[in-house]
Amino acid sequence: MMRRIQATALLRDTLREAAARWVFWGFYGLSTALILFFLFLLRIDVIEGARATVTLLGETSPRALPVTRLVRQFEGGVASFLYVAGMGLALFASAGLVAATFEPGRIEWLLSKPVSRVRILLWRYAGAVIVVALNVCYLVLGVWLILGWKTGVWDAHFLVAAPTTIFMFMVLLSVVTLAAVLTGSAALATMLVFALMVLSPILAQHKLMVRLLDSEFWRDVWRAMYYCLPKVFEVGRINMNLLRDRAVESWMPVWSSALFAAVVLAAALAAFSRRNY
Amino acid sequence: MDPDAAIETRELTRVYRQRWRGREIRAVDGVSLKVARGTSFGLLGPNGAGKTTFVKLLLGIVRPTAGSATLFGVDCRRPEARLRVGYLPENHRLPSYWTGAGLLDFAGALSGMDARARRRRIAELLDLVGLQEWANVRLSRYSKGMLQRLGLAQALMHAPSLLLLDEPTDGVDPVGRQQIRAILRELEDQGVTVFLNSHLLSEVELACREVAIMDRGRLVLAGRVKDLTAGKGYLVTAAHVPEALFETLRAKAASAAMRDGLAEFLFPTREEANRAVDVVRAHGGWLESVTPTGSTLEEVFMRTVRPQTPEQL
């Protein structure tokens, strides 16, 4: 009973703090703008149920495209935007939310309560995930409903963009959490995850790099980095394959990224449990 | 460990190591202290004496390097030890996105109170600290004094048996200070143990029955305020005092402490001081000094705490 009350309080605290931060409202504003774009500015005229023309700000496309392809293209664009820009923005906002827990004068107060440190950190992590997940679901469902309503094409594959984006956000948020525990700096945590996002497509070329490198030592370093670090780029590719109803060659990027998140989060919990404030 | 004590520490030590300079700072150095239930206890000391670290050790915010501490007989590193404790930190930064009532609700929930009990208690406490009209205003609009009063209210939210207050009157005006003192007195009458950590001697003298003085991480003096400040007394300082004799004399003295291998006893009368000197000598101890004591806590403090060199400041 007591644990439930404490968990609800910690979660409510995170949601309340997120609501007080403009950056989260900016995130929701951006999603709403995208939904409104599909609702009002983009007109799709379906011709005889199979082909469609697109009218954007009064300009009509010169040729009609198969309607299913058109919808998939729009959905692919939204999914890519969400996976890259949306996730980047969500990480930027969440870094401040997690790091704020460790502010001097606040952390001492929190730790003086009869709550275990593990629960304090886990519920802050969970709170940040819930805030972002709600926004992602809002955007994906909103766009899906509008496109379905306008074209009659209800492509359920698009809905997979939500869990995929939330999954990779959770993986990268674990890095933010560890960095925030160790340094208390939101800026450093953000820089670290952005570096991982940039590094990911480079590391994804590991087969080519292994061929190019002369030294066995550096080949091993490259392989180790590839297998250990989260595979943002490859999970993004899996996301697009699922969206286009194509087969997924390997699920390794997903489970290895999940394993990475579990290890990093466990390290964050261990570091937080031992730290003096 | 004595389960009847509100606070008990044994040789509690916290050492900070500066990695690059290879230096050790003993923030808290072998402090053994027992605070009885239902008393008001003041911890005094100059800035940097280790008072705040000591309180943080009690709350498990800082882990001890050596020694142990219990709160009501429970190891202070366990969350259950904090169930009956209310804490107001020094320089706190209560989350400014909460309203006054919201913060109290959050604090109560973290202490495991159910929603109905929280609602009832919030109204009582806001009234007690004079913030009922500010209940639904965000903390970002509160003044320093108001935040301090709200800080006290959140510490009282779950009706704790032990209240740990770190510089509670910091930033509070004289009227507010008097209110806080009245609240603390009332709590003591209700059997709550009040542990006040402050560098304001007058504050402690007015609010506490017992005090301890820390200096450079060590506990250098402990006793009842009444005894320490009552009329003239005599401070007997001796070296090579056997442990058994130290305990015997401690029972007879108004207060006693060990500092740098020297035993210090405060006796209220000249006769008792002389008798103690005789006993110390008879047991092979060396008399270091016999000093008449003053009558204010400030004088006791100034005599007890060694002046800091410019490098230590």
Side-chain angles (χ1 to χ4, degrees), chain A residues 6 12-13 106 109 276, chain B residues 60 63 97-98 105 110 154:
Chain A
Q6 289 173 334
R12 211 155 45 95
D13 179 56
R106 177 170 169 181
W109 178 70
N276 298 304
Chain B
R63 310 278 152 150
Y97 46 84
W98 284 112
D105 187 60
L110 288 181
Q154 67 75 29

Side-chain angles (χ1 to χ4, degrees), chain B residues 116-127:
Chain B
R116 190 190 292 178
R118 295 201 303 265
R119 267 197 303 276
R120 197 180 56 240
R121 190 77 175 138
I122 288 167
E124 280 171 22
L125 287 172
L126 286 173
D127 187 42

Side-chain angles (χ1 to χ4, degrees), chain B:
Chain B
M1 290 283 186
D2 181 1
D4 287 333
I7 299 171
E8 189 174 8
T9 67
R10 276 193 193 163
E11 292 297 320
L12 196 61
T13 303
R14 176 67 218 179
V15 180
Y16 290 106
R17 291 183 178 87
Q18 290 181 320
R19 273 182 217 162
W20 308 114
R21 295 166 74 180
R23 235 180 85 184
E24 263 192 11
I25 298 168
R26 301 185 80 81
V28 173
D29 192 1
V31 172
S32 297
L33 180 73
K34 196 188 276 189
V35 178
R37 292 180 190 218
T39 193
S40 52
F41 194 97
L43 185 61
L44 290 166
N47 291 334
K51 306 187 297 292
T52 296
T53 307
F54 180 74
V55 173
K56 285 182 177 180
L57 281 163
L58 294 179
L59 290 163
I61 298 168
V62 170
R63 310 278 152 150
T65 309
S68 61
T70 58
L71 301 175
F72 299 105
V74 182
D75 187 332
C76 71
R77 287 170 297 183
R78 295 171 61 186
E80 306 90 87
R82 301 189 288 275
L83 269 172
R84 297 164 66 187
V85 181
Y87 174 53
L88 173 64
E90 184 189 17
N91 300 326
H92 57 76
R93 283 181 71 180
L94 300 172
S96 60
Y97 46 84
W98 284 112
T99 61
L103 182 95
L104 293 184
D105 187 60
F106 178 43
L110 288 181
S111 297
M113 294 172 75
D114 64 50
R116 190 190 292 178
R118 295 201 303 265
R119 267 197 303 276
R120 197 180 56 240
R121 190 77 175 138
I122 288 167
E124 280 171 22
L125 287 172
L126 286 173
D127 187 42
L128 182 74
V129 297
L131 291 173
Q132 49 292 53
E133 285 172 20
W134 291 78
N136 298 313
V137 176
R138 277 200 185 192
L139 302 196
S140 51
R141 295 182 60 192
Y142 279 40
S143 70
K144 179 86 200 286
M146 286 160 71
L147 283 173
Q148 205 65 5
R149 278 187 280 156
L150 188 73
L152 179 64
Q154 67 75 29
L156 295 171
M157 190 61 196
H158 57 299
S161 307
L162 169 64
L163 197 56
L164 291 169
L165 307 172
D166 203 345
E167 308 288 358
T169 54
D170 192 20
V172 181
D173 61 36
V175 178
R177 283 178 186 213
Q178 206 169 24
Q179 279 177 338
I180 289 177
R181 273 200 298 272
I183 292 169
L184 297 185
R185 237 172 269 132
E186 201 178 314
L187 288 168
E188 198 195 344
D189 291 342
Q190 291 167 12
V192 175
T193 311
V194 179
F195 188 97
L196 192 64
N197 185 7
S198 178
H199 65 274
L200 297 174
L201 298 166
S202 56
E203 203 61 57
V204 171
E205 197 166 357
L206 284 167
C208 300
R209 288 183 201 282
E210 289 181 44
V211 290
I213 298 175
M214 277 185 83
D215 188 22
R216 285 162 224 191
R218 299 190 72 101
L219 195 68
V220 290
L221 192 71
R224 284 175 297 178
V225 176
K226 196 171 70 180
D227 295 334
L228 293 172
T229 58
K232 289 199 173 192
Y234 294 87
L235 187 69
V236 176
T237 309
H240 306 298
V241 176
E243 205 176 316
L245 177 62
F246 177 81
E247 289 304 327
T248 311
L249 290 175
R250 193 219 284 266
K252 291 177 181 166
S255 70
M258 282 295 284
R259 193 176 71 179
D260 297 337
L262 295 176
E264 291 181 341
F265 306 99
L266 183 72
F267 293 98
T269 65
R270 188 189 296 161
E271 288 74 22
E272 283 174 274
N274 271 293
R275 270 200 294 275
V277 168
D278 292 342
V279 176
V280 167
R281 280 182 169 162
H283 284 79
W286 294 1
L287 185 67
E288 194 76 21
S289 66
V290 179
T291 322
T293 64
S295 58
T296 67
L297 195 55
E298 188 173 345
E299 283 169 328
V300 174
F301 181 84
M302 295 309 288
R303 202 172 40 242
T304 310
V305 174
R306 288 174 291 171
Q308 292 187 323
T309 60
E311 298 83 58
Q312 290 165 326
L313 288 171

Side-chain angles (χ1 to χ4, degrees), chain A residues 47-102:
Chain A
I47 310 157
E48 293 166 3
R51 300 176 78 79
T53 57
V54 174
T55 307
L56 180 62
L57 300 168
E59 297 287 323
T60 306
S61 61
R63 62 189 179 96
L65 290 169
V67 68
T68 315
R69 198 173 128 200
L70 193 71
V71 169
R72 284 208 172 159
Q73 276 179 357
F74 279 128
E75 288 176 343
V78 172
S80 304
F81 170 80
L82 182 67
Y83 192 77
V84 180
M87 194 158 61
L89 188 62
L91 286 164
F92 173 71
S94 306
L97 195 65
V98 176
T101 317
F102 312 107

